[in-house]
Amino acid sequence: MNRPKHGGNPTWAATVAGCPPSLILDFSASISPLGPPPSALTAIKLHIDSLTSYPNPDYPELCQAIADHHHIDPDWVLPGNGAAELLTWAGWEFSKLNTTLIPTPAFGDYWRSLQTFGTRIIARSMMMDDGEIGDLDFALRHLPVDIPHSLGLIVNNPHNPTGQIYRQETILPYLDKFKLVVVDESFMDFLPRSEQQSLIPSITQYPNLVILRSLTKFYSLPGLRLGYCIAHPDRLRLWKSWRDPWPVNTLAAAAAIAVLPDTQFQQQTWDWLAIARNRLFAGLTQISGFHPYPGAANFILVKSDRSAVEIQTKLLQQHQILIRDCMSFPELGDRFFRVAVRTIEENDRLLAALRSV
């Protein structure tokens, strides 16, 4: 079995570890360990009988729930089969432009969506001469004064894989320089509301802005495949005309409607993450040869003095623990790895295993 390009593949990990997939402790996928929330499970059970009918292709209740969550009009909302499906339609629209810029390192699925439609891509590296990782302004600092009005830009905030959070005022100036800007905010929910730097409050001012969101990571629902985008209604009507009529299944829609107003679970997640991430970060800094990057998301990027693939292999073979290597990020390669933040007990198990290998 080939090495996976993404995290969350315990089947592959089990072949390396020599154990059943159920025994793998997975730190490679940045999914909250606290869910799914009871509100989602209850909603799924209540809607089992709805499986005999097609969902409403307009998803009015789901769009309204998302709109209420963000205090916007539902016409500005388009649910999707995970953020990945919506990224595909962004890729189709990017292909109509002259060039699309991607600050790198970046989530590998951006290339998949753009290359599918033959989009011309220019990667703008964040890597500095000393091997450290810069920020968005570092990657885009040499843009020409007069940028042709046929360029696209795709960024994520918080940034994957570093976990950096960019302030609104960092990204907003670029909206005047590009014809289409997609901001992937799949991990923004992990920040408490007072700390979030979402551009959703600015969406009505910029018809060239698209914001992608995921409901699978924060609410531990990756198997349901559910995300959404927020953008100008004209653009969303166009995207809707391109795709299959029922992208979101009935149970996923029901779960989303239930979890979006679940403030108890949201607060529980923020309380857990603040403590667990800080403790895991501190533990990683104390291991010789490891240099973790501070971040705002539910994962931590670590620069290693030793081969990350070798560390990954030893963790699997000796401890049945899977971490995310960064081989799919060409700028990072074999000297970086990424770990999700899990429960304190599981994080402590990871730290003990890392010290032993």
Side-chain angles (χ1 to χ4, degrees), residues 29 40 54 89 102 176 192 206 259 276 343:
Y54 285 100
W89 306 124
I102 304 179
D176 295 323
Y206 295 96
V259 300
T343 66

Side-chain angles (χ1 to χ4, degrees), residues 263-285:
T263 56
Q264 180 178 355
F265 180 82
Q266 292 157 11
Q267 189 62 56
Q268 177 188 6
T269 302
W270 297 327
D271 292 343
W272 149 76
L273 183 58
I275 297 173
R277 182 178 57 216
N278 289 341
R279 178 166 170 162
L280 177 58
F281 182 89
L284 290 166
T285 63

Side-chain angles (χ1 to χ4, degrees), residues 43-88:
I44 290 171
K45 293 175 182 177
L46 290 175
H47 287 79
I48 289 294
D49 292 342
S50 300
L51 293 179
T52 56
S53 302
Y54 285 100
N56 185 326
D58 294 325
Y59 301 98
E61 294 180 354
L62 176 56
C63 289
Q64 187 64 59
I66 296 170
D68 291 343
H69 185 67
H70 293 294
H71 309 291
I72 57 175
D73 190 284
D75 289 342
W76 291 72
V77 174
L78 184 67
N81 189 250
E85 187 238 337
L86 298 164
L87 184 59
T88 296

Side-chain angles (χ1 to χ4, degrees), residues 78-289:
L78 184 67
N81 189 250
E85 187 238 337
L86 298 164
L87 184 59
T88 296
W89 306 124
W92 174 244
E93 189 163 353
F94 275 127
S95 71
K96 310 302 180 183
L97 306 182
N98 176 267
T99 303
T100 295
L101 274 59
I102 304 179
T104 59
F107 180 39
D109 208 40
Y110 297 158
W111 274 265
R112 187 272 310 168
S113 69
L114 297 175
Q115 291 172 344
T116 296
F117 302 107
T119 304
R120 183 171 181 264
I121 306 169
I122 294 180
R124 301 298 297 257
S125 178
M126 297 180 182
M127 303 301 295
M128 298 187 290
D129 292 340
D130 60 1
E132 294 301 314
I133 304 173
D135 56 16
L136 185 64
D137 285 337
F138 180 86
L140 301 177
R141 68 195 185 285
H142 293 313
L143 292 178
V145 177
D146 298 319
I147 300 177
H149 200 56
S150 60
L151 290 182
L153 174 67
I154 182 167
V155 299
N156 49 7
N157 191 29
H159 179 253
N160 178 11
T162 66
Q164 293 183 67
I165 181 71
Y166 304 133
R167 298 191 63 80
Q168 294 168 328
E169 52 265 32
T170 298
I171 302 178
L172 283 173
Y174 293 106
L175 300 181
D176 295 323
K177 300 179 180 181
F178 292 87
K179 187 171 184 180
L180 176 61
V181 177
V182 171
V183 181
D184 180 356
E185 296 185 352
S186 291
F187 292 98
M188 189 66 75
D189 285 337
F190 285 99
L191 282 81
R193 292 192 185 280
S194 61
E195 300 176 18
Q196 292 185 15
Q197 295 295 318
S198 175
L199 292 191
I200 292 176
S202 302
I203 191 69
T204 58
Q205 303 171 40
Y206 295 96
N208 61 326
L209 173 62
V210 174
I211 298 173
L212 298 181
R213 284 288 190 116
S214 170
L215 288 171
T216 61
K217 299 172 175 62
F218 187 86
Y219 297 102
S220 308
L221 298 168
L224 282 183
R225 309 306 309 129
L226 185 63
Y228 57 93
C229 69
I230 296 175
H232 193 281
D234 290 345
R235 170 168 281 112
L236 298 186
R237 281 190 287 268
L238 181 63
W239 287 19
K240 189 176 178 181
S241 71
W242 293 340
R243 67 180 190 172
D244 296 338
W246 301 287
V248 180
N249 70 70
T250 298
L251 300 184
I257 293 169
V259 300
L260 284 167
D262 190 344
T263 56
Q264 180 178 355
F265 180 82
Q266 292 157 11
Q267 189 62 56
Q268 177 188 6
T269 302
W270 297 327
D271 292 343
W272 149 76
L273 183 58
I275 297 173
R277 182 178 57 216
N278 289 341
R279 178 166 170 162
L280 177 58
F281 182 89
L284 290 166
T285 63
Q286 295 170 8
I287 300 177
S288 176

